[in-house]
Amino acid sequence: MKERLATIKERIQTIAEACHRKAETVRLVAVSKTVPVEIVKEAIDAGVTILGENYIQEAREKCNALISYPVSWHFIGHLQSNKAKYAVRLFDLIHSVDSLKLALEINKQAKKINRIQSILVQVNIAREASKSGVYVEEATRLIEALSPLENLAVRGLMTIPPYFDAPEKARPFFAALRELRDQIERSAIPNIAMDELSMGMTGDFEAAIEEGATLVRIGTAIFGARK
Ligand SMILES: *Cc1c(COP(=O)(O)O)cnc(C)c1O
């Protein structure tokens, strides 16, 4: 575990420095879906500080088991509105907000427990029927609608590009997310930050970093293949 993690951190650092970015501007989200608690503990002991989970029930059990561990939890899966009440209790950042309905529910549930929930808007950059996320042309309108919501803090964008065997093929989709981010940033919508770009997984995170990723979501390279 220690070695695998060190290798990934080194790859992140090398690529960040090669494009004149500070290594600290790229944060590693260790994707622990389906990984047993004991192994997640090893990862935390080896230096993982952010865990990414896809399923609410699984995340609730893990959070409880790891309550005393100094780690930040991010939600990266598809979130149904009726699970928003759990999500706001568990996660520091929800990467996958893809509708006004969901955002309104997160805002409402966050208000109930008196917190401001940080979120990213998920963009379906390649318009794949199988993926969640808003289309590029819908993103600005959604974000404008989120601007007045007092218990939401929009911090940036997230995407999952199509799966390719060659990471270079994912690059144009990462670049497109960055360009969308830049465009939204120029619109200077009140109360909206565009600092975070969540993109890049085991197979393509280096290209994602070169295109501006600030959060890379890596599972397989840390924990091995999922069953
Ligand atoms: C599972 C998952 C990942 C991690 O994928 P790996 O290829 O195992 O690194 C990243 N992002 C999301 C949204 C995922 O569901």
Side-chain angles (χ1 to χ4, degrees):
M1 178 67 73
K2 277 211 168 78
E3 264 170 44
R4 280 201 298 259
L5 200 60
T7 305
I8 293 160
K9 286 186 172 172
E10 223 174 272
R11 284 168 67 187
I12 291 173
Q13 182 172 355
T14 303
I15 211 89
E17 284 170 359
C19 43
H20 310 290
R21 298 181 55 192
K22 291 198 170 117
E24 316 85 81
T25 65
V26 184
R27 291 186 293 155
L28 171 63
V29 179
V31 176
S32 49
K33 61 172 174 247
T34 78
V35 177
V37 167
E38 288 313 310
I39 311 288
V40 178
K41 277 184 189 164
E42 281 180 31
I44 300 170
D45 290 338
V48 157
T49 57
I50 307 174
L51 292 169
E53 285 283 340
N54 289 61
Y55 309 105
I56 293 288
Q57 186 54 34
E58 182 185 343
R60 289 177 77 186
E61 288 164 17
K62 282 186 193 160
C63 281
N64 275 332
L66 296 167
I67 196 97
S68 60
Y69 284 71
V71 70
S72 173
W73 296 84
H74 288 194
F75 191 76
I76 63 171
H78 179 67
L79 184 59
Q80 288 167 311
S81 299
N82 63 1
K83 303 273 173 68
K85 62 175 174 291
Y86 305 113
V88 299
R89 286 177 175 81
L90 297 172
F91 298 105
D92 295 315
L93 182 64
I94 299 172
H95 290 226
S96 47
V97 174
D98 61 356
S99 71
L100 182 58
K101 178 181 177 224
L102 174 60
L104 289 169
E105 187 62 23
I106 294 171
N107 183 62
K108 178 177 148 191
Q109 297 297 337
K111 193 182 177 97
K112 275 191 195 166
I113 58 169
N114 195 27
R115 69 172 298 227
I116 294 173
Q117 177 68 53
S118 290
I119 64 154
L120 306 178
V121 168
Q122 182 172 352
V123 183
N124 186 352
I125 207 94
R127 315 178 77 87
E128 291 175 280
S130 61
K131 296 233 169 86
S132 314
V134 294
Y135 291 153
V136 166
E137 68 274 14
E138 299 167 339
T140 302
R141 195 178 307 157
L142 173 61
I143 288 169
E144 281 168 352
L146 307 188
S147 166
L149 301 181
E150 289 181 344
N151 292 78
L152 275 194
V154 178
R155 316 206 71 98
L157 305 176
M158 178 270 220
T159 199
I160 311 171
Y163 176 78
F164 296 109
D165 46 11
E168 277 311 307
K169 293 186 182 157
R171 184 185 296 276
F173 299 101
F174 297 142
L177 193 73
R178 185 196 62 231
E179 282 158 20
L180 177 62
R181 190 272 312 269
D182 292 346
Q183 186 193 317
I184 294 169
E185 205 161 46
R186 282 195 298 273
S187 330
I189 305 166
N191 194 31
I192 299 294
M194 279 287 129
D195 301 326
E196 303 287 356
L197 280 181
S198 168
M199 56 189 196
M201 313 187 351
T202 292
D204 56 19
F205 70 87
E206 283 154 325
I209 293 169
E210 286 171 347
E211 298 302 330
T214 63
L215 290 159
V216 289
R217 310 179 307 264
I218 299 179
T220 307
I222 299 173
F223 296 109
R226 286 178 292 274
K227 290 181 193 83

